[in-house]
Amino acid sequence: MEIKLQPATNYERKIFYKEEWDVNDVPDFVIDSLTSREFGFDHYGQGPNDRYKTFPDALRLKRFMKVKQPFAAYCSVAFYDKPKQRKGWKQSELVFDVDAKDVPIRTCDCNEGEVCDKCLSQAKDIVLMIKDVLEGDLGLKNINMIYSGRGYHVRVLDESVMTSSSDLRGQIVQYVIGAKEPDLSNSMGFTNLQHFIIPYGYSKNFTKWSKYTILHLTEKSKLDNVNTKLLKDTLKFRHFLEDDQWGMFRGNIGPIRFNKLISAVARINMSITDTKVSIDLKRILRLPSTLHSKVSMKSTLIKNIETFDPFDDAVPQFVYERKD
């Protein structure tokens, strides 16, 4: 059966919350901090305007969801002493938001604002790369992967980042997604990000992301300060990058044009994830287990990102019962 990413009707939403949604599907990392979080709801498909909600326990949350059957449900990444007033901030998750419709170099034929299995697969590839850097370079362990409905949220709850400032989070994001060209004049050989002493693999990490972006460019791609001739030559010689022959690629492009290309790629990499979400200490995110009503998909905690397929693992039952 072909899964169509179309809006859920009011009836389908009611059926989902009445017969399928289970409070036990809300991840433990949310339930364990339930009383410290702010919740928000969208009841009419116009955005989360029902804010500052709190729940003393999972039973109260269950009752609310069963009665209200919201268009969308959200919870804060922040923990507060007084979540109902959003006062007494204690700490916040570090979040990477990868939305398939906003991937800067998409290889599918989707119209703006649309998603398909191809760009969702591309978003998953990006999330896997982010996860590798978080674990391998930064040594983070409490990493939760969420399918959001049209993309993925990476939610990190290690203590070393939970209390970090917006400025530090911005630096971490730049490092993780290869969005800043490495300063090769740094003779110290490492970057110091407060809690993290990162071995000077910055250049290697930046190169990995640049390779990913360049290999996904098409003739229709638009890059700042990159003219048609440079783009064509990039596509012509990028096969060298498949074997990591950067010297050959740079030699055919030319050093001046190569530097211009790499600067443009760094700006593209910056838009791989929504940086505003990562640095916002008071952001609310879609509540895992709930319905993304615009596409009729479940926001789902992913147990195994390698094998996860949203078209198998995040489809509500009512979608299979639709009559064309």
Side-chain angles (χ1 to χ4, degrees), residues 209-225:
W209 282 102
S210 297
K211 173 182 175 179
Y212 175 86
T213 296
I214 291 171
L215 290 179
H216 282 79
L217 293 174
T218 69
E219 293 180 357
K220 298 180 180 179
S221 299
K222 297 185 183 301
L223 291 81
D224 294 341
N225 299 320

Side-chain angles (χ1 to χ4, degrees), residues 233-265:
D233 285 347
T234 299
L235 299 179
K236 180 179 179 181
F237 297 113
R238 66 179 175 183
H239 63 276
F240 289 114
L241 300 186
E242 294 176 358
D243 297 319
D244 291 319
Q245 297 183 51
W246 282 87
M248 293 292 292
F249 176 72
R250 184 175 184 273
N252 281 279
I253 295 295
I256 295 176
R257 297 202 305 160
F258 176 81
N259 291 339
K260 182 180 291 188
L261 173 66
I262 290 302
S263 293
V265 167

Side-chain angles (χ1 to χ4, degrees), residues 180-187 189 191 200 202-203:
K180 185 177 181 181
E181 295 172 77
D183 179 8
L184 300 180
S185 65
N186 182 354
S187 61
T191 300
Y200 199 62
Y202 197 116
S203 181

Side-chain angles (χ1 to χ4, degrees), residues 35-63:
T35 58
S36 297
R37 296 184 187 260
E38 176 214 359
F39 286 76
F41 300 92
D42 174 4
H43 298 293
Y44 308 106
Q46 299 175 349
N49 53 13
D50 185 9
R51 299 284 301 270
Y52 306 103
K53 295 291 186 184
T54 58
F55 298 96
D57 51 51
L59 179 59
R60 301 292 179 89
L61 174 61
K62 175 182 176 179
R63 289 174 177 170

